[in-house]
């Protein structure tokens, strides 16, 4: 995506005389949100605002942001008369990582307690270890634990209470 963007910018510069009224707009998807932040400071992407406008996005990050914007986790905890938010994330991957990150960033819920997040899935501990390595201090702003789940386990409604997760306020 980065290489395509640079080539599109070069092409736009060579056709400046033929350019229409509005600049070319490039919306660049990057899986690594930290790389996007670094590239925002890279002059090659932003040296010719008139010809090309470049911006970055990440589908998983936007999905997590939308989840928390539309579903306030503390409301569910309050409706269930739970002492705090307990979010269970089923599966591991980029989306779950972004949801965990947003849960920790928004840890200051109305109840004043930091959230509890349980990662549930195949490779959950490995995913948590990688997350904590990438986000030092994550375990200081929320309680994060994980449960390894056997691949193919499907009956979550019966599986969660049997594994001590009956107090979950959101899945």
């Amino acid at each position: 995506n980065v290489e395509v963007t640079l080539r599109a910018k070069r092409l736009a510069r060579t056709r400046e005389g033929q350019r229409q009224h509005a600049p070319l707009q490039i919306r660049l998807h990057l899986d690594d949100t930290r790389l996007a932040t670094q590239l925002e400071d890279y002059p090659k992407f932003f040296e010719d605002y008139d010809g090309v406008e470049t911006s970055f996005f990440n589908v998983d990050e936007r999905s997590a942001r939308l989840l928390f914007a539309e579903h306030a986790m503390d409301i569910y905890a309050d409706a269930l008369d739970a002492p705090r938010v307990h979010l269970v994330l089923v599966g591991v991957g980029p989306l779950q990582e972004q949801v965990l990150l947003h849960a920790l960033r928004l840890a200051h819920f109305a109840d004043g307690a930091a959230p509890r997040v349980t990662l549930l899935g195949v490779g959950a501990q490995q995913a948590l270890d990688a997350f904590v390595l990438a986000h030092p201090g994550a375990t200081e702003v929320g309680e994060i634990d994980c449960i390894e789940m056997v691949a193919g386990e499907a009956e979550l409604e019966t599986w969660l209470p049997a594994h001590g997760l009956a107090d979950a306020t959101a899945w």
Side-chain angles (χ1 to χ4, degrees):
N1 285 346
V2 172
E3 182 61 31
V4 169
T5 298
L6 292 173
R7 287 180 186 209
K9 290 171 80 66
R10 270 190 301 250
L11 181 61
R13 274 196 300 273
T14 62
R15 297 184 176 225
E16 281 187 28
Q18 303 170 12
R19 189 173 55 223
Q20 298 297 320
H21 304 308
L24 174 65
Q25 296 183 358
I26 299 175
R27 305 293 180 241
L28 182 61
H29 177 265
L30 288 176
D31 289 329
D32 187 343
T33 55
R34 288 175 293 222
L35 176 61
T37 302
Q38 291 173 341
L39 287 174
E40 286 174 349
D41 295 330
Y42 188 57
K44 267 193 172 181
F45 277 93
F46 303 103
E47 62 191 6
D48 54 349
Y49 288 107
D50 293 339
V52 179
E53 294 177 3
T54 306
S55 62
F56 303 98
F57 73 97
N58 178 286
V59 172
D60 298 318
E61 189 276 334
R62 285 192 178 202
S63 297
R65 190 175 343 140
L66 183 62
L67 171 71
F68 283 91
E70 292 189 5
H71 302 282
M73 297 293 156
D74 55 333
I75 292 175
Y76 297 114
D78 188 46
L80 294 169
D81 202 27
R84 67 177 175 167
V85 171
H86 180 189
L87 173 62
V88 176
L89 294 176
V90 180
V92 295
L95 177 58
Q96 288 77 4
E97 179 180 339
Q98 287 297 321
V99 172
L100 174 58
L101 187 59
H102 277 69
L104 296 176
R105 283 182 177 159
L106 301 172
H108 309 286
F109 294 110
D111 60 10
R116 176 179 174 202
V117 180
T118 301
L119 299 178
L120 176 63
V122 177
Q125 186 61 55
Q126 184 179 1
L128 178 58
D129 293 343
F131 181 84
V132 171
L133 186 63
H135 305 282
T139 56
E140 296 171 17
V141 295
E143 180 184 335
I144 311 169
D145 51 10
C146 52
I147 298 174
E148 291 291 327
M149 186 177 186
V150 178
E153 193 73 54
E155 298 298 322
L156 287 178
E157 291 83 4
T158 57
W159 198 92
L160 290 176
H163 287 82
L165 297 174
D167 67 340
T169 58
W171 302 359

